Amino acid sequence: MEAGLHFRKVSKRIGSKQLVDEVSFSVYPGEVFGLLGPNGAGKTTLIRLAVGLIAMTKGEIVIDGYSLKKSFSHAIEQVGAIIETPVFYDFLTGYQNLVHYANLSGRVSKDRIDEIVDRLNMESFIHAKTRTYSLGMKQRLGIAQALLHQPTVLILDEPTNGLDPVGIRELRKTLRYLAEREKVAVLVSSHLLAEMEMMCDRVGIISKGRMVSVRNLEGDDIKNRLFEVNLPQQAFDVIHEKFPEVDLEVTKRVLKIQADAQMTALINESLVKAGIAVYGIAAENRRLEDLFMEDTDDALSGPINME
């Protein structure tokens, strides 16, 4: 599948300060990709580069097949974005604001406005003046504005800032809908680990301007598997003999084994053949917080490219 948004060894330098250092990653249609990192890590710089607010020092950004550097107009037409808090004319209703932005675009019909209002469940407040809106309502209206021209890529910088728990939940549902139903490639930046874990399919962890790692939050990466058995010490010996490369530890009747799905099946088969009863197998998923601390604590010897 071709990426909706593709960073290729993108760097940004201002004077002697390296803000972004050879960052590479891709965001595909139908997924929510999160840029995760502490304040000052380079997330907002990457967002601003992607929407053309600042120029890259070197590298290339490709949006829906168009190079941002070589074909700026065609590339940026594919993007809808909210950078920081969306701002509207507060003396107009939400609907009137959308009509205004549709007129500026010149190629958005009334039917498209009504479609977006319906799909984002905004009927209950869309005809109220925006000065009466909560921050969550403004965020949803901002997303509606960004989607008017049917972009293939949606870019949001710290979209949960200032939202209450209900607003965050509504935003999360909206982004999942756009990715799964509309096949939009969604790029979101944040430093809130718990929210990113619930919102994103993959996250790119940024530290000091570099892409430290890309983590698949839905995949079948190597995990700690918990085997509950009747003979833990004998099970330990069987696994250690047949699979010496596997990391494992034993506690009472439970063995903790670091393995992917295929290795888990092979270990289970070996235990059963050895006459050991396996009462249950469970995956002990490490939280994103653990992965984040593990990745950012590692010293980097050079830039890492992640596709």
Side-chain angles (χ1 to χ4, degrees):
M1 182 186 299
E2 186 175 348
L5 174 65
H6 188 27
F7 276 66
R8 295 175 178 164
K9 295 186 177 181
V10 173
S11 297
K12 177 62 178 177
R13 187 180 187 89
I14 297 179
S16 61
K17 189 170 184 180
Q18 190 75 42
L19 301 180
V20 172
D21 189 6
E22 292 200 3
V23 171
S24 296
F25 67 93
S26 298
V27 185
Y28 294 92
E31 78 166 339
V32 180
F33 186 99
L35 285 178
L36 181 63
N39 291 331
K43 304 186 302 297
T44 297
T45 299
L46 289 172
I47 294 287
R48 290 178 178 275
L49 288 166
V51 298
L53 290 177
I54 56 176
M56 66 195 88
T57 304
K58 65 177 181 177
E60 186 176 29
I61 297 173
V62 178
I63 301 171
D64 202 24
Y66 295 101
S67 167
L68 193 64
K69 188 183 297 183
K70 299 174 184 176
S71 305
F72 181 83
S73 296
H74 289 298
I76 212 66
E77 281 180 358
Q78 316 304 317
V79 177
I82 302 177
I83 309 300
E84 300 176 346
T85 305
V87 177
F88 303 100
Y89 296 104
D90 61 7
F91 58 88
L92 298 178
T93 67
Y95 194 88
Q96 289 169 334
N97 270 279
L98 292 181
V99 169
H100 170 69
Y101 289 113
N103 290 337
L104 290 177
S105 172
R107 58 185 181 91
V108 177
S109 67
K110 179 182 180 299
D111 288 343
R112 175 61 179 171
I113 298 174
D114 294 338
E115 177 187 2
I116 290 295
V117 169
D118 177 63
R119 290 187 176 180
L120 297 184
N121 297 317
M122 300 167 63
E123 296 91 342
S124 63
F125 60 85
I126 194 63
H127 293 293
K129 297 290 179 64
T130 56
R131 63 170 171 263
T132 67
Y133 281 20
S134 68
L135 189 54
M137 292 176 182
K138 288 183 178 179
Q139 287 283 27
R140 201 182 305 183
L141 183 61
I143 293 174
Q145 174 196 328
L147 292 172
L148 283 177
H149 62 296
Q150 295 183 289
T152 58
V153 176
L154 179 64
I155 299 175
L156 306 175
D157 185 25
E158 300 280 2
T160 58
N161 274 0
L163 293 184
D164 60 19
V166 174
I168 292 175
R169 184 171 180 269
E170 289 176 349
L171 175 66
R172 186 166 64 240
K173 288 171 61 179
T174 298
L175 296 186
R176 293 306 327 165
Y177 172 86
L178 292 172
E180 294 169 7
R181 301 289 183 87
E182 299 292 319
K183 300 305 177 185
V184 177
V186 182
L187 176 64
V188 181
S189 76
S190 182
H191 60 275
L192 301 178
L193 281 77
E195 284 308 318
M196 296 291 266
E197 190 164 17
M198 289 188 284
M199 186 184 299
C200 299
D201 301 295
R202 293 187 298 146
V203 295
I205 298 176
I206 305 292
S207 180
K208 298 180 180 179
R210 290 178 173 175
M211 182 69 78
V212 178
S213 68
V214 171
R215 294 284 188 171
N216 186 347
L217 301 184
E218 297 295 331
D220 189 38
D221 295 332
I222 291 178
K223 304 172 183 176
N224 287 328
R225 313 282 176 166
L226 305 179
F227 282 70
E228 185 181 1
V229 297
N230 64 332
L231 302 170
Q233 189 56 55
Q234 288 90 325
F236 181 95
D237 294 339
V238 168
I239 298 169
H240 184 68
E241 180 182 352
K242 289 184 173 294
F243 310 98
E245 73 280 7
V246 171
D247 292 331
L248 71 157
E249 58 184 81
V250 59
T251 306
K252 295 183 179 178
R253 293 198 311 176
V254 175
L255 283 83
K256 181 184 291 188
I257 303 169
Q258 194 171 97
D260 61 15
Q262 183 177 8
M263 180 61 73
T264 300
L266 292 174
I267 290 172
N268 180 59
E269 181 182 17
S270 296
L271 292 177
V272 172
K273 285 182 177 179
I276 297 168
V278 179
Y279 299 134
I281 305 173
E284 183 187 61
N285 294 320
R286 291 182 296 170
R287 296 184 60 192
L288 182 57
E289 180 179 0
D290 300 324
L291 301 176
F292 177 80
M293 296 306 297
E294 174 185 305
D295 289 343
T296 53
D297 282 347
D298 287 341
L300 293 176
S301 58
I304 294 179
N305 297 327
M306 296 287 174
E307 299 298 329

